[in-house]
Amino acid sequence: MNLELIQLRQQIDQIDHQLLKLLHQRQQVVKQISKLKQHQYLPSRDLIREQQILTTLKQISVQQQFDLTDEDVEVVFRAIMQRGLALQV
């Protein structure tokens, strides 16, 4: 197999590992937030905050000239937020 292809795949593997660690960290914070919301009798879901997050992330993507469409950002982060919401229920 092509050495360059192997090296690029190794880079992808490293990035995937970093993403996994970040997702784990995010879920730990979500669990803390869930506990606080329960103690304060707050709803699990905040649709306004979700929309603010998506809007901000899309703006960052454009400003940083990431090669991601608004739809890419929304699909990925809605999935992440859905998993976080599932942890809070």
Side-chain angles (χ1 to χ4, degrees), residues 2-3 8 11 14 16 20 36 54 57 79 86 89:
N2 183 319
L3 181 60
L8 290 170
Q11 286 180 26
Q14 290 172 354
D16 288 346
L20 209 58
L36 286 174
L54 291 172
L57 292 171
V89 177

Side-chain angles (χ1 to χ4, degrees), residues 14-53:
Q14 290 172 354
I15 292 168
D16 288 346
H17 185 246
Q18 291 171 347
L19 286 169
L20 209 58
K21 286 168 66 172
L22 290 171
L23 287 170
H24 171 72
Q25 289 174 345
R26 188 181 194 284
Q27 287 193 317
Q28 297 309 305
V29 174
V30 166
K31 289 177 184 178
Q32 293 174 351
I33 289 171
S34 177
K35 288 178 185 177
L36 286 174
K37 285 182 175 181
Q38 287 174 0
H39 289 290
Q40 297 176 14
Y41 302 102
L42 296 171
S44 296
R45 192 158 193 189
D46 184 344
L47 294 174
I48 294 171
R49 172 136 171 84
E50 287 178 26
Q51 192 55 51
Q52 289 171 336
I53 291 168

